Amino acid sequence: MDMTPPPKPGQPARADNAARKAFYDAISSHSMTPLWEVLHALVPPSPTTPCQPALWKYAEVHPFLMQAGQLITAEEAVRRVLILENPGLRGQSCVTQSLYAGLQVIMPGEVAPSHRHTQSALRFVVEGQGAYTAVDGERTQMKPGDFIITPSWTWHDHGHPGHVESDAPVVWLDGLDIPMLRFFDAGFAENGSAKQQAVTKAEGISYQRYGANMLPVRYDAPFGQTSPIFSYPYERTREALHQLEAHAEIDAWDGTKLRYVNPATGGSPMPTMATFMQRLPAGFEGKPWRQTDGAVFSVVEGHGSVTIERNGQSWTFDFGPRDHFVIPSWHTAQLHSQQGCVLFSFSDRPVHQALGIHKEERLS
Ligand code: 1HN
């Protein structure tokens, strides 16, 4: 006797009788399967991501980064990185379904050798001084809070000469669109012939040329859809947010939040990833919101907490400097800060927008 309960009203059909089961088995050997068994899961009423809210406390991560520094050189590792794997996506090298994140460490005297790939990368410097990254012949110093871009298919290497007074490891957050390119099967990569690429440009030349709210008269995009500015120094970002917090209205959901732009387009600095910096004033009790783009946060200054909710489940993360956390797609989030704080974040928003599927809801 078939003991399967009948489908509830509004529930999908089930393989609740022998004839259907036999039919499914028959078509299965021809690489076919019935849509009606999976339709509800394929087009859910709202996003049902396996991505989970997650927090990495820097006090716990830092000792492991230093241990990695003892276990392997940057050169042998090529990139000495601890991947921030979402607990709901273990084994997939993902922090959300579409984004990769990792913490990279470089020791004084080390070089991470030159290579290029079609995956775009962002660096957000977490701590240390004295390292540089080089992109297509130009070097830029990496200072805490700086947001640096490695455009798709550009040669890049990192180094830490280690002759400055602050002879300490440098750590940064890497954000890449690896899962997206994997999804599209569109990734290419190549190693450089030399360990370090030749420096052919003066340091800071990109910023002079493109970062003064001006563009060359005959502008030709050096990196296609990616911003021609490859380092956005924290000094400038911090000052802008500081002045805005003091003199402009504070948003009830975001505090004071700015998005980084490609100055040539006004759009995101990279075609696949948007980046943001925000300041929450002291005593901030943010209103709840949700958005389809899952976002990764790096805490720059100050302390606060984030409450995340989805389907009756709730998470609260207390965060401080250099902690990292993830707010998955369509999870309701609220930010709080007693003393005030500064948060960097990135997401895949430009892709949602390009596809016309971006959705944000501000709740109250
Ligand atoms: C990469 O090239 C870097 O250049 C960092 O620093 C992380 C993860 C996967 C593939 C390439 C870098 C990466 C990466």
Side-chain angles (χ1 to χ4, degrees):
M1 201 176 80
D2 186 356
M3 297 298 283
T4 318
K8 297 191 192 87
Q11 288 289 105
R14 292 283 165 209
D16 56 0
N17 64 46
R20 285 184 186 176
K21 190 98 187 48
F23 175 73
Y24 298 171
D25 289 346
I27 66 172
S28 178
S29 58
H30 295 265
S31 304
M32 293 188 285
T33 195
L35 171 63
W36 58 87
E37 291 289 340
V38 291
L39 183 59
H40 59 293
L42 289 182
V43 284
S46 65
T48 55
T49 180
C51 177
Q52 292 174 12
L55 170 73
W56 290 266
K57 295 294 286 181
Y58 199 65
E60 291 167 17
V61 170
H62 186 258
F64 292 126
L65 287 169
M66 297 305 115
Q67 281 176 38
Q70 302 305 315
L71 280 174
I72 192 165
T73 63
E75 193 170 347
E76 192 196 343
V78 182
R79 297 296 184 261
R80 192 205 285 114
V81 180
L82 300 184
I83 301 175
L84 303 183
E85 270 201 338
N86 191 282
L89 302 165
R90 293 307 309 271
Q92 300 178 48
S93 305
C94 292
V95 69
T96 68
Q97 293 251 80
S98 60
L99 297 170
Y100 160 102
L103 288 167
Q104 180 159 179
V105 58
I106 191 159
M107 301 294 180
E110 286 191 324
V111 167
S114 182
H115 69 190
R116 63 177 176 175
H117 37 74
T118 48
Q119 291 82 358
S120 296
L122 67 86
R123 328 280 170 197
F124 185 71
V125 185
V126 168
E127 75 171 341
Q129 298 267 355
Y132 65 83
T133 188
V135 170
D136 266 4
E138 183 182 339
R139 281 186 183 178
T140 191
Q141 294 298 313
M142 304 179 95
K143 294 189 276 2
D146 291 355
F147 158 55
I148 297 167
I149 297 174
T150 307
S152 175
W153 206 240
T154 52
W155 293 109
H156 56 284
D157 48 75
H158 320 297
H160 191 334
H163 50 58
V164 282
E165 65 285 357
S166 52
D167 247 8
V170 172
V171 176
W172 65 84
L173 171 71
D174 287 315
L176 288 92
D177 53 12
I178 289 172
M180 268 186 255
L181 271 77
R182 185 165 60 196
F183 178 78
F184 290 119
D185 286 331
F188 294 86
E190 200 168 74
N191 286 321
S193 51
K195 209 163 82 170
Q196 286 171 281
Q197 64 181 291
V199 177
T200 58
K201 299 171 189 162
E203 189 172 323
I205 200 77
S206 297
Y207 201 75
Q208 306 311 332
R209 193 174 277 138
Y210 307 108
N213 289 324
M214 303 179 92
L215 289 174
V217 174
R218 276 166 289 278
Y219 176 75
D220 59 332
F223 303 130
Q225 292 177 55
T226 300
S227 172
I229 301 176
F230 76 103
S231 176
Y232 295 73
Y234 185 47
E235 226 178 9
R236 297 285 302 276
T237 314
R238 188 179 196 278
E239 180 61 14
L241 289 172
H242 179 77
Q243 293 301 333
L244 284 168
E245 183 177 292
H247 304 295
E249 200 179 319
I250 288 160
D251 184 85
W253 290 267
D254 290 337
T256 302
K257 187 170 187 175
L258 295 175
R259 62 182 178 93
Y260 290 88
V261 295
N262 174 344
T265 63
S268 60
M270 286 158 289
T272 48
M273 292 182 282
T275 47
F276 307 88
M277 191 80 97
Q278 75 195 103
R279 237 183 114 106
L280 308 182
F284 187 72
E285 294 286 336
K287 291 186 177 180
W289 88 99
R290 54 185 176 175
Q291 59 190 44
T292 50
D293 50 323
V296 181
F297 287 74
S298 181
V299 183
V300 190
E301 298 184 45
H303 294 260
S305 69
V306 59
T307 306
I308 305 174
E309 284 176 8
R310 177 76 176 134
N311 289 337
Q313 248 192 303
S314 148
W315 298 258
T316 296
F317 299 146
D318 292 320
F319 56 72
R322 296 176 282 279
D323 291 346
H324 293 84
F325 63 91
V326 178
I327 305 176
S329 166
W330 217 238
H331 282 52
T332 302
Q334 262 179 292
L335 293 164
H336 313 272
S337 183
Q338 279 297 308
Q339 312 106 303
C341 62
V342 180
L343 307 173
F344 171 84
S345 59
F346 72 99
S347 80
D348 57 357
R349 185 174 302 185
V351 182
H352 294 230
Q353 290 174 328
L355 301 178
I357 55 165
H358 187 253
K359 197 168 156 121
E360 184 186 29
E361 243 175 42
R362 300 188 124 194
L363 312 160
S364 48

